[in-house]
Amino acid sequence: MKTHFRLIVVACCVALTGCAVGPKYETPAAANPAQFKEAEGWVPAAPADALERGPWWTLFGDATLDELAQRIDVNNQNVAAAVASYAQARAVVAEQRAALFPVVSLGASGTRSGGGESRAANNYRVNIGGSWEPDIWGRLGAGVTGAQASAQASAAELASARLSAQGELVANYIGLRQTDAQLALLNTTVEGYQRVLQITQNRFNAGVTARSDLLQAQTQLANTQAEQLSLVRQRALYEHAIAILLGQAPAEFSLPAAPWTLAVPDVPVGVPSALLQRRPDIAAAERRVAIANEQIGIARAAYFPSLSLSASYGYGASQTAGLFNASNNLWSLGVSAAQAIFDAGAISARVEQTRAARDVAIAQYRQTVLNAFADVEDQLAATRALAQQQELRRAASEAADQVEQQMINRYRAGQVNYTEVVNAQVTALSARRALVQVQADRQTTAVALIQALGGGWHAAQ
């Protein structure tokens, strides 16, 4: 028995002094420019993906939007699925960690056997036993580390799902409010066209103008009213999309028309590019590299023997009355080891597979970083261009309005034909709608920039 105990002690010492065979993990190098091309004065990026992102949608100054966005975490089903996936990943970590500890079991059995002329015999047993696989080569530890990295990747994917749902909600809300503004614009335009139609009708009745002018006025009014109906349909689609994002059936949700808040948050010149590292897709990609790195250690551990320890203690007897007597006790201690001697290179092939998988993850991580930088650059360039376009669109709209009014006045005075009035009205309406569109584009670009930065730039450190 002493020999058995010596073996157990030696094995435990070996286990405690075991070493991991996997490669040490280092975050892969990736593109990290000193500043963004489209925004001067930004400092070099640094990891900051754990920073609180905050309710970034409040930057748009719309109380209704604030209320809707706060319901995303509670009701959005994509976010709910990501939350469940994160909980699943955390449970996997607990399962992997449990493999580091011994398994203890309690057993009891009773049998009665006999045959032929032999008397039937009873056999009762009660025992407690345990088994343990020491993590000599770090295989189980690598599994735990990999599961932790997987849980962290799942947390990043949860943040990505939440940010995506929030961004989609805000973009749809802006689209709906833009449609409301377009409808209000067309309603005013239709009223103006109706007045011009009445003027044309009166002039036609008086024999001052041709019937073609009356038909043109009627055509223009009918086309504009048809555009109104198209906008009503578009508004309904936005409303339905918002309902789905909030986890509601479209029939149970409605959003009445309201004034459009035109606030467009400005990006401060000194915004650090550190916020780019807060993007959840970058964090998830980096964690997938860590997972792949741990898989190499798990595969390498197969080169070395596996060791298993077992022990049990119990009692056995033919009668229950004397089952727990000292003379009926039973015990066992065991050590087992196994090592593959020949596998035709299967282990080496699996190690090479894991190395290649890590290289794939590294390349995907670096591509994710490049795409993220390009995304920010795109939105910064669009932000600057749209701000300039808005001023030009406003000037064009004001000029077109003046031309339209002048043409109507001259038509009343009989100085121009009706075709020139129609052209002026079409140009004025187009300029007004283009101004509304660029205002909406500025807001949706701000949303895209906030998402590209990982959720905003005003959160507390």
Side-chain angles (χ1 to χ4, degrees), residues 90-158:
R90 293 181 63 184
V92 171
V93 175
E95 180 186 11
Q96 292 289 336
R97 186 179 289 116
L100 296 172
F101 300 92
V103 176
V104 180
S105 59
L106 177 65
S109 65
T111 60
R112 181 177 177 82
S113 61
E117 297 180 356
S118 62
R119 294 179 58 187
N122 298 325
N123 185 22
Y124 302 97
R125 294 177 65 90
V126 175
N127 71 291
I128 183 171
S131 62
W132 180 38
E133 181 181 352
D135 192 20
I136 300 175
W137 314 114
R139 179 179 64 84
L140 299 179
V144 173
T145 304
Q148 290 172 336
S150 180
Q152 292 163 350
S154 182
E157 288 165 357
L158 168 58

Side-chain angles (χ1 to χ4, degrees), residues 23-357:
K24 182 180 178 181
Y25 177 69
E26 295 181 359
T27 303
N32 190 10
Q35 65 181 28
F36 288 105
K37 176 182 178 181
E38 301 295 339
E40 297 181 358
W42 286 33
V43 300
D49 56 283
L51 293 181
E52 176 60 41
R53 284 155 178 79
W56 55 267
W57 52 86
T58 58
L59 295 170
F60 292 91
D62 192 305
T64 303
L65 176 60
D66 294 347
E67 189 274 331
L68 293 174
Q70 290 172 357
R71 292 160 58 183
I72 282 288
D73 279 357
V74 178
N75 299 321
N76 185 269
Q77 297 307 302
N78 289 330
V79 174
V83 170
S85 295
Y86 178 49
Q88 181 183 17
R90 293 181 63 184
V92 171
V93 175
E95 180 186 11
Q96 292 289 336
R97 186 179 289 116
L100 296 172
F101 300 92
V103 176
V104 180
S105 59
L106 177 65
S109 65
T111 60
R112 181 177 177 82
S113 61
E117 297 180 356
S118 62
R119 294 179 58 187
N122 298 325
N123 185 22
Y124 302 97
R125 294 177 65 90
V126 175
N127 71 291
I128 183 171
S131 62
W132 180 38
E133 181 181 352
D135 192 20
I136 300 175
W137 314 114
R139 179 179 64 84
L140 299 179
V144 173
T145 304
Q148 290 172 336
S150 180
Q152 292 163 350
S154 182
E157 288 165 357
L158 168 58
S160 182
R162 181 181 289 115
L163 181 59
S164 176
Q166 291 167 349
E168 189 174 354
L169 172 69
V170 176
N172 284 333
Y173 181 82
I174 292 171
L176 184 141
R177 290 304 179 216
Q178 176 205 357
T179 306
D180 285 343
Q182 295 275 15
L183 279 170
L185 183 62
L186 285 185
N187 289 340
T188 302
T189 301
V190 165
E191 291 175 359
Y193 285 178
Q194 288 174 335
R195 289 193 296 269
V196 172
L197 174 61
Q198 186 61 52
I199 294 172
T200 307
Q201 181 71 56
N202 294 338
R203 289 171 61 84
F204 174 74
N205 293 339
V208 177
T209 188
R211 180 175 176 79
S212 60
D213 290 355
L214 179 62
L215 294 176
Q216 278 187 304
Q218 292 173 341
T219 300
Q220 188 176 33
L221 176 61
N223 285 336
T224 307
Q225 290 173 329
E227 290 184 30
Q228 279 183 307
L229 295 177
S230 296
L231 289 176
V232 170
R233 179 180 65 85
Q234 184 63 48
R235 188 188 193 282
L237 296 180
Y238 280 126
E239 193 175 69
H240 299 164
I242 293 173
I244 297 302
L245 287 169
L246 297 178
Q248 293 184 249
E252 300 172 353
F253 178 82
S254 63
L255 201 59
W260 183 15
T261 304
L262 293 174
V264 179
D266 294 324
V267 181
V269 175
V271 172
S273 56
L275 291 176
L276 183 60
Q277 297 300 324
R278 295 168 53 211
R279 280 179 59 129
D281 58 342
I282 292 179
E286 185 275 331
R287 288 291 82 198
R288 284 190 282 269
V289 177
I291 296 169
N293 190 75
E294 296 304 323
Q295 291 298 316
I296 296 176
I298 295 173
R300 282 181 178 176
Y303 283 125
F304 304 95
S306 61
L307 180 67
S308 178
L309 309 178
S310 63
S312 67
Y313 184 83
Y315 295 89
S318 60
Q319 295 181 356
T320 57
L323 179 62
F324 295 102
N325 291 339
S327 59
N328 293 326
N329 68 340
L330 302 168
W331 60 269
S332 69
L333 296 173
V335 179
S336 65
Q339 171 65 55
I341 298 177
F342 176 74
D343 64 358
I347 295 176
S348 298
R350 285 193 290 270
V351 172
E352 290 304 316
Q353 289 176 31
T354 55
R355 285 175 176 164

Side-chain angles (χ1 to χ4, degrees), residues 426-449:
V426 170
T427 301
L429 178 59
S430 177
R432 294 185 203 114
R433 298 189 67 177
L435 176 60
V436 172
Q437 182 64 56
V438 76
Q439 289 169 335
D441 288 344
R442 287 194 67 197
Q443 285 193 325
T444 54
T445 299
V447 174
L449 177 58

